[in-house]
Amino acid sequence: MSADLRTGVLVVGGGPVGLATAMELDHHGVASVVVEPREHVSYLRPRAKTTSARTMELFRRWGLADTVRQRAPLHVEWSKDIVFCMSVTGREVTRLTGTLGLALAGTDVAAEPGQQVAQPIVEQAMRDALGRPESHATLLLGRRAVAFDDRGSTVVVTLEDADGATSTVEADYVVGADGPRSAVRTAMGAVYEGSSLPRPNVSITFECAELGDLIPHGNAVQYWVLDPAAPGLVGRLDLDGTWWAIATVRPDEDEDDDRTGEVDATALVHRLLGRELPIKVIATDPWWARTLIADRFRRGRLFVAGDAAHQNPPWGGHGYNTGIGDAVNLGWKLAAVINGWAPEALLDSYEAERRPVAQRFVAAAAENGRSGPAVLTAAAGLTSGGATEEAAAVIQAAKRTEFHSDGLVLGVGYTEYADVQTTNGSDYLPVAAPGNRLPHTWLPDGQSLFDRLGPELTIIGPAWHAAAFIRHAERHGIPLAVLDDPSLGLDAFFSGRLVLVRPDQHIAWIGRPVPDAEAERIVDEAIRGEWRHQP
């Protein structure tokens, strides 16, 4: 029996990671179908709010970065500070400045700074982009995937709408971006490994028109409340009086107390604010700190990405950004195989590359969580009476790497060369080496180096030095752009070496000109997801 719809890639889940997968496939001209139960994006629960500099660079590749910034209520220049205080309207203890990649604008380090923006705004921007007439994506909203039939060369997926009516989609590949309860992960027979703390935190979205004028600390991305009686976080969602808050459990509370029932959100917010202001609670969302990674990211034609593959606590803002990295890594590889210029063996490199990255970010978030608001308050020895210089020093030491994580965010790499780019995840020294993200620079004409890369493979260097690579690519139909412009100064930037760059802006190979046979091996290894170390 034939399916109702046929596509190259079926993406199960239309959150930011699923939509990003479709965006990446669309970037390479590959058709996809995205299945998502929610017909409309909900703005009640903002979820992720930190879009990293690296994610913004990836958005830039799709032409989405400017749209996200334009729609974000908080401009990147609005604030770069994290304030630690006894209450939002109370005494300040200390602050961190230049945080979360927000200070990278105009530096050579990155093509884009980070952006504070609620997840629903990003989702809607991607939905709008994928809904354009020229898009290769089809959004099937109001439906969920309920069954998977792997037929060897394709997978037939049964969909169900809200009324129980079913339909089928046949796809070459299926990507599960369907969150913690992933149906695709279950169909793969994959399971989470790790731990989940039983104590819930509570996220609260609320309105308070008066609050902004009463904060004595000035603008800040986040206000960390360190009152032992009310530890948590508060931040703005916009400049019109909409706020988010996280009320966290205290160290002395029973870890076995699963407090998932009704909470007095108004009372929790008042405790965080330090005074009883008129507020309107819009939504509450209990969540648990989970450090989980699937034991596999692929089985045959099924893949998982984002929360379906890994879950980490929100501390540091890495979970959603790691998922976007998954989507780009997997998306370009699926596109290369479907478009016929890479072998299916390339898909094996997805799990090999992304699972260690997920482990790294989950571990970083877990470490950040060890100094969450409640724990940090206790460690700093704070009391409701005020703050001390010693407490400020403890906080600065504990939270610096959480909010200054350029080495972790921009230093992602897929070989041992990644580790030489940072000492502790905070500092970042870009190294042009196989597996690493291509070091960024602004060109004399004002463009980003990343803007001059081709959509598929790119070789940077004089064409006559790269002739062996060009010949091999032309003979075998491998799309290879050549960036050969002496006026850009790239020969000096890369010390006279040729640089072969993948579609995801990671270096596949770097070295001196090589003979034809060696160039063929280098390119063929790159399109199998293998790494050639520097000669």
Side-chain angles (χ1 to χ4, degrees):
M1 182 181 295
S2 62
D4 298 304
L5 189 62
R6 178 76 173 83
T7 188
V9 181
L10 175 66
V11 181
V12 180
V17 175
L19 293 170
T21 304
M23 290 288 293
E24 183 66 17
L25 292 165
D26 187 62
H27 182 65
H28 300 286
V30 171
S32 66
V33 171
V34 180
V35 178
E36 167 57 42
R38 297 169 301 146
E39 294 192 21
H40 304 284
V41 172
S42 171
Y43 291 83
L44 296 180
R45 296 174 176 84
R47 300 293 171 89
K49 292 168 283 292
T50 295
T51 299
S52 72
R54 180 58 185 146
T55 294
M56 290 301 294
E57 287 182 337
L58 297 173
F59 286 177
R60 184 185 181 108
R61 292 165 65 250
W62 306 328
L64 192 72
D66 287 346
T67 300
V68 170
R69 293 202 195 279
Q70 289 163 6
R71 296 187 184 187
L74 305 181
H75 189 271
V76 70
E77 295 298 330
W78 182 79
S79 179
K80 304 176 180 66
D81 291 0
I82 306 292
V83 168
F84 299 85
C85 48
M86 298 310 294
S87 71
V88 176
T89 62
R91 181 181 302 184
E92 180 175 327
V93 180
T94 189
R95 68 174 60 210
L96 291 169
T97 61
T99 63
L100 297 169
L102 296 167
L104 294 175
T107 69
D108 260 342
V109 172
E112 296 278 349
Q115 177 67 56
Q116 288 296 296
V117 57
Q119 177 179 318
I121 293 175
V122 177
E123 285 189 31
Q124 190 60 58
M126 285 195 275
R127 280 194 180 197
D128 292 345
L130 293 171
R132 293 176 301 189
E134 64 271 25
S135 170
H136 298 85
T138 300
L139 301 182
L140 294 183
L141 305 177
R143 306 185 211 186
R144 66 179 70 246
V146 295
F148 302 84
D149 180 11
D150 188 343
R151 298 184 178 179
S153 59
T154 62
V155 181
V156 175
V157 181
T158 301
L159 310 181
E160 184 177 270
D161 66 16
D163 297 323
T166 61
S167 59
T168 54
V169 178
E170 184 177 22
D172 296 320
Y173 301 98
V174 175
V175 177
D178 47 344
R181 298 177 180 86
S182 171
V184 177
R185 188 181 64 248
T186 300
M188 286 170 48
V191 296
Y192 277 141
E193 297 176 338
S195 63
S196 177
L197 295 180
R199 297 179 296 172
N201 299 277
V202 182
S203 293
I204 304 166
T205 309
F206 67 97
E207 292 177 351
C208 184
E210 300 178 21
L211 179 56
D213 294 332
L214 298 174
I215 296 176
H217 318 297
N219 297 338
V221 176
Q222 299 174 12
Y223 301 95
W224 280 56
V225 176
L226 303 179
D227 185 336
L233 290 76
V234 175
R236 280 187 181 271
L237 286 173
D238 57 37
L239 300 179
D240 299 319
T242 310
W243 303 77
W244 61 269
I246 296 176
T248 69
V249 295
R250 299 192 303 273
D252 58 342
E253 290 178 318
D254 184 0
E255 293 193 7
D256 295 322
D257 179 17
D258 187 356
R259 299 177 301 131
T260 58
E262 292 297 321
V263 297
D264 187 343
T266 298
L268 289 174
V269 171
H270 284 161
R271 287 162 60 184
L272 292 169
L273 301 186
R275 57 195 302 176
E276 294 188 4
L277 297 174
I279 70 168
K280 177 184 177 181
V281 173
I282 299 173
T284 60
D285 187 15
W287 54 270
W288 291 258
R290 305 185 192 279
T291 54
L292 302 170
I293 300 179
D295 61 349
R296 68 178 75 172
F297 284 17
R298 178 194 184 189
R299 193 196 75 186
R301 296 180 175 274
L302 303 180
F303 301 81
V304 287
D307 283 353
H310 45 79
Q311 287 192 73
N312 54 330
W315 315 119
H318 298 307
Y320 138 78
N321 292 289
T322 306
I324 300 297
D326 295 344
V328 172
N329 186 289
L330 179 56
W332 83 258
K333 291 172 180 177
L334 287 169
V337 172
I338 290 171
N339 285 332
W341 60 266
E344 192 160 320
L346 173 63
L347 301 179
D348 293 335
S349 67
Y350 167 64
E351 179 178 322
E353 291 179 358
R354 293 306 299 177
R355 195 167 187 274
V357 169
Q359 290 173 320
R360 194 173 308 133
F361 279 109
V362 167
E367 182 62 30
N368 294 336
R370 293 188 180 96
S371 58
V375 177
L376 189 61
T377 298
L382 291 169
T383 67
S384 58
T388 66
E389 291 184 7
E390 292 80 3
V394 169
I395 293 165
Q396 290 279 339
K399 305 312 285 185
R400 176 168 181 78
T401 56
E402 178 172 344
F403 293 110
H404 293 278
S405 56
D406 291 348
L408 188 65
V409 170
L410 299 175
V412 168
Y414 301 125
T415 69
E416 68 272 21
Y417 289 112
D419 297 334
V420 303
Q421 298 183 108
T422 185
T423 57
N424 60 7
S426 179
D427 57 330
Y428 173 57
L429 177 65
V431 174
N436 288 356
R437 165 186 165 273
L438 182 73
H440 177 265
T441 189
W442 293 102
L443 303 176
D445 60 4
Q447 278 193 306
S448 162
L449 168 60
F450 290 178
D451 295 340
R452 298 294 295 271
L453 301 176
E456 309 299 349
L457 297 177
T458 301
I459 194 156
I460 302 173
W464 65 280
H465 278 170
F469 294 89
I470 297 169
R471 283 193 293 270
H472 179 63
E474 289 177 345
R475 280 196 301 267
H476 296 277
I478 300 169
L480 177 67
V482 181
L483 183 51
D484 174 13
D485 185 342
S487 70
L488 301 181
L490 295 176
D491 191 56
F493 186 69
F494 292 111
S495 303
R497 294 172 294 172
L498 294 171
V499 188
L500 181 63
V501 186
R502 305 192 321 183
D504 58 0
Q505 301 169 344
H506 283 259
I507 296 173
W509 172 84
I510 182 168
R512 304 293 174 183
V514 296
D516 281 30
E518 182 68 4
E520 291 176 10
R521 282 195 292 272
I522 290 168
V523 173
D524 290 347
E525 287 173 354
I527 64 176
R528 290 197 303 268
E530 300 173 7
W531 299 100
R532 174 59 63 95
H533 290 221
Q534 298 181 52

